[in-house]
Amino acid sequence: MEKTISLLVCCIIATGFYVRDRKRLHISLMSLAFAIDLALLLYIELTRQAVKTAIEPPHPFVTFHVLISVGTMLLYLVQIGSGIGSIKGWIVRMIPHRVAGMTFLVFRGLNFATSLFLANFIRHV
């Protein structure tokens, strides 16, 4: 179920990226993706104690996945901040929204790919 929801989030993000010139739709889709990802993270924590696994990983690849996942969540926050700055017309000096967005897409893709690998790999560790 989690992988299906994560795939749905990836599809929402891809659609949001595709419609990035239609600001209201872009913002709505990306906000939805963020909300679903947060809910999924909470569900994983409550059902599998993700924080405990991150602190005491059974395998180095789990650590890699956790780092990618944390990076993805941090990049969500960067995107929200730079998006708000872009909408309000503030000068975003440190990280432009588009540059951070491309980095976010890479991280979210890696998050999904590593989660698929772990779903099969962890059973054998």
Side-chain angles (χ1 to χ4, degrees), residues 13 30 34 37 67-83 95-111:
I13 290 169
M30 294 309 204
F34 180 62
D37 258 352
L67 291 173
I68 292 294
S69 299
V70 169
T72 299
M73 283 299 165
L74 291 175
L75 284 165
Y76 261 124
L77 298 177
V78 169
Q79 282 303 95
I80 291 167
S82 64
I95 303 173
H97 188 68
R98 289 182 182 189
V99 172
M102 297 308 289
T103 306
F104 167 77
L105 291 174
V106 170
F107 267 71
R108 188 58 180 86
L110 283 170
N111 172 268

Side-chain angles (χ1 to χ4, degrees), residues 59-94:
H59 191 275
F61 194 79
V62 175
T63 303
F64 177 70
H65 174 72
V66 168
L67 291 173
I68 292 294
S69 299
V70 169
T72 299
M73 283 299 165
L74 291 175
L75 284 165
Y76 261 124
L77 298 177
V78 169
Q79 282 303 95
I80 291 167
S82 64
I84 290 170
S86 177
I87 290 167
K88 299 224 179 225
W90 301 335
I91 297 172
V92 181
R93 294 181 182 169
M94 292 185 65

Side-chain angles (χ1 to χ4, degrees), residues 1-8 39-40 43-44 47-48 112:
M1 176 181 83
E2 295 94 352
K3 303 305 172 249
T4 303
I5 294 170
S6 189
L7 178 60
L8 172 67
L40 184 58
Y43 173 79
I44 290 170
T47 60
R48 290 193 240 148
F112 182 67

